[in-house]
Amino acid sequence: MRVLLIVDVQNDFLPTGALPVPEGDAVVPVINQLQPHFDLVIASQDWHPRDHGSFADNHPNTEPGQTITLDGLEQILWPVHCVQGTKGAAFAPGLDTLRIEAIIRKGMERKIDSYSVFFDNDHRKDTGLGGYLKARGTEQLYLCGLAEDVCVLFSALDARNLGFETYLVTDATRGVDLNKGDIDRARQQMHDAGVQFVESSEIAP
Ligand code: VGL
Ligand code: ZN
């Protein structure tokens, strides 16, 4: 059973969005081409309440990019993004959603962020995705989407910890690179954790 997990391909992560990922829109046609080659397609959405603690706007005298302590945990502050029900939180235009069998929404708890699609950033709460994927007989898990050095990274690391044979589709993801080198460091971390790298042409020739 080969599964594709499409991470956070949402308007706010496109180059014109609130938290722009450079070339983020380039992943859409690649992901559409990939989908028919999988037994199961799952997607996630970053889905924050407007008063979410990861928004700089919700803390006086702060700017996006700054780090604060949120409920005892280090938290990078971001621009307001992916607010529940807004256009920014919707899937990117052109993303083929018909084959998506389950959608996991995350980041709904005000006092904790959730980069990984499996757990929040302190592993307090399980989204259930790991159990779902195991129940569905997942053998190989392929990740794609946005952002490579944030939500894709943490999802891939958790996937390895949960024992999945994990792949990153390298041309179906893009990173923010908030601090220069973040994307390279993310790749290194994934490599060290046993994530394998593939190109879409190896899956969908
Ligand atoms: C993400 C920053 C904040 C992501 C979500 O989807 O990579 N990045 N929230
Ligand atoms: Zn977010």
Side-chain angles (χ1 to χ4, degrees), residues 13 46 48 54 78 81 113:
F13 298 124
D46 209 32
H48 298 305
S54 73
W78 302 101
H81 66 278
D113 213 348

Side-chain angles (χ1 to χ4, degrees), residues 115-135:
Y115 294 155
S116 164
V117 191
F118 294 96
F119 302 96
D120 61 58
N121 289 1
D122 201 28
H123 283 221
R124 290 175 202 164
K125 202 183 88 183
D126 186 328
T127 63
L129 178 62
Y132 174 86
L133 290 175
K134 281 182 183 166

